[in-house]
Amino acid sequence: MMNFNFDTDRQTDQKQAVDVEAASRNKTIRRVITALLVVMIAAILLANVTIVTKQNEYTMVQQFGKIVAVRSDAGLSFKLPFVQSVKSIPKTVLLYDLPISDVITKDKKTMVADSFVLWKVSDPTLFIQTLNGNVSNAEARISTIVYNSMKNVISSLSQAEIISGRDKLAEAIFANIGDSLEQYGVDLVAVETKHLDLPDDNKHAVYERMISERNNIAAAYQAEGESEAKKIRTETDKAISIKISEAQANAEKLIAEGEAQYMQILAEAYADQSRADFYTFVRALDAAKASLKGSDKTLILSKDSPIAQIFYNID
């Protein structure tokens, strides 16, 4: 009987020890769960209180749908939890690829335009108020406005003017848009045309016609150049003829002056008898020399010949 009571007491002690251990473990679990709940609640509160603004965005603080603050500088700020909400809006320049569209020129020719725009949010408050801060809504408005501007500009130009001056087309489209996007808090940075071409079905025919027109223009320029060249050649030939005539006239004048001087020298020579005799002697020798040609060196002169008189008169 004593042994049975001892076993019962030992089992009771073991059961109490297990109960104490279980109670301690449950208490520890409750503490851990409580700590986790506190941490979760603190994290939720912290997440609903802090605002992290990045370098490339605006942070809009709204309370019951009304904007109460705008954060534009990067950093950490705070708001009222559960009452105020936060909306982020991009601050960098964005690229929007416009849908490919057909446009009609001044001469009723169809062209295919493929363009893109660069834009950014300039007024985040106005951007939220008009476009609900939605980039897709902004791109839809940009697409409509840019297409209308493109259509107006291209419809005022002929196809040839567009093809030859397409480098200035983007500037004209941008200028035509003006400040129409400012009402949405959007600033249009640039409009660029990636591709502006003819539809495939009439591209070849238009190119052939343009080639023919350019050939006609080239032929007109060539004819004009040949006419100018002929005119220049005629004027040059005329100028040369005048120069030659003047040169010949000057030559004739110089020859006449030379002959006059020659005759004057002769007259002066014959005016003096001694000079006249010497001149006659020299002329006679020249004549004799001219007669002595060939193998026969015999000179037969009559006594009355001027050459013979030279020898007869030698004393």
Side-chain angles (χ1 to χ4, degrees):
M1 186 71 181
M2 293 295 294
N3 292 334
F4 177 76
N5 291 333
F6 178 77
D7 292 337
T8 301
D9 293 338
R10 187 172 59 182
Q11 291 176 357
T12 301
D13 293 338
Q14 291 177 349
K15 183 178 180 181
Q16 290 177 349
V18 170
D19 291 340
V20 170
E21 183 179 358
S24 178
R25 186 168 55 249
N26 291 335
K27 186 177 181 180
T28 302
I29 293 173
R30 284 195 300 270
R31 289 177 179 176
V32 171
I33 293 174
T34 302
L36 291 175
L37 288 174
V38 171
V39 171
M40 291 176 61
I41 293 172
I44 293 172
L45 289 175
L46 186 63
N48 280 274
V49 169
T50 57
I51 301 173
V52 179
T53 303
K54 299 180 181 178
Q55 187 68 34
N56 60 347
E57 67 181 10
Y58 297 103
T59 301
M60 314 298 294
V61 181
Q62 294 177 295
Q63 183 173 332
F64 305 116
K66 181 181 179 181
I67 299 174
V68 295
V70 179
R71 305 282 190 264
S72 58
D73 297 329
L76 186 66
S77 57
F78 301 94
K79 66 180 182 66
L80 297 176
F82 307 110
V83 176
Q84 295 179 339
S85 60
V86 175
K87 187 176 184 65
S88 297
I89 295 175
K91 188 167 62 174
T92 57
V93 175
L94 304 175
L95 184 146
Y96 175 54
D97 198 357
L98 296 170
I100 298 175
S101 56
D102 294 343
V103 289
I104 307 298
T105 63
K106 182 180 179 181
D107 47 356
K108 307 304 179 184
K109 303 295 177 61
T110 301
M111 300 193 74
V112 178
D114 185 7
S115 306
F116 69 90
V117 299
L118 299 175
W119 67 281
K120 65 179 181 179
V121 177
S122 58
D123 188 337
T125 302
L126 193 58
F127 185 71
I128 285 183
Q129 291 174 347
T130 55
L131 299 174
N132 198 28
N134 192 301
V135 173
S136 298
N137 293 340
E139 290 176 345
R141 298 297 176 91
I142 290 172
S143 178
T144 301
I145 292 174
V146 173
Y147 173 73
N148 289 334
S149 176
M150 182 185 300
K151 182 176 64 175
N152 293 334
V153 171
I154 291 179
S155 64
S156 65
L157 301 172
S158 65
Q159 190 178 72
E161 290 173 337
I162 293 172
I163 293 175
S164 61
R166 61 184 305 170
D167 54 336
K168 298 181 180 179
L169 185 62
E171 296 179 5
I173 296 172
F174 184 84
N176 188 65
I177 293 172
D179 57 356
S180 56
L181 284 169
E182 290 183 359
Q183 59 181 318
Y184 305 110
V186 172
D187 183 17
L188 195 62
V189 178
V191 178
E192 298 294 339
T193 301
K194 295 189 297 183
H195 182 74
L196 183 61
D197 210 343
L198 307 170
D200 294 335
D201 53 354
N202 65 346
K203 184 184 298 184
H204 180 72
V206 172
Y207 283 165
E208 290 294 332
R209 186 177 71 252
M210 292 180 64
I211 291 172
S212 177
E213 291 175 354
R214 294 302 183 273
N215 289 335
N216 293 335
I217 294 173
Y221 282 140
Q222 185 175 2
E224 184 179 354
E226 290 177 352
S227 176
E228 290 293 329
K230 184 177 180 180
K231 181 179 178 181
I232 293 172
R233 283 195 295 267
T234 301
E235 293 177 352
T236 303
D237 292 341
K238 181 180 178 180
I240 291 173
S241 298
I242 293 173
K243 292 294 184 182
I244 292 174
S245 298
E246 292 176 351
Q248 289 177 346
N250 290 331
E252 292 293 336
K253 182 180 179 181
L254 292 175
I255 291 172
E257 292 176 354
E259 290 179 351
Q261 292 180 3
Y262 173 69
M263 295 303 296
Q264 184 179 357
I265 293 171
L266 287 179
E268 292 176 355
Y270 281 109
D272 188 349
Q273 186 60 43
S274 61
R275 293 180 180 178
D277 293 341
F278 179 75
Y279 181 74
T280 302
F281 175 73
V282 172
R283 295 284 291 177
L285 291 178
D286 291 339
K289 182 178 179 180
S291 300
L292 296 174
K293 290 184 178 181
S295 58
D296 190 3
K297 303 298 183 180
T298 302
L299 180 63
I300 300 174
L301 301 173
S302 65
K303 186 177 180 180
D304 297 331
S305 172
I307 299 177
Q309 291 297 322
I310 296 172
F311 299 103
Y312 281 113
N313 292 330
I314 297 175
D315 294 332

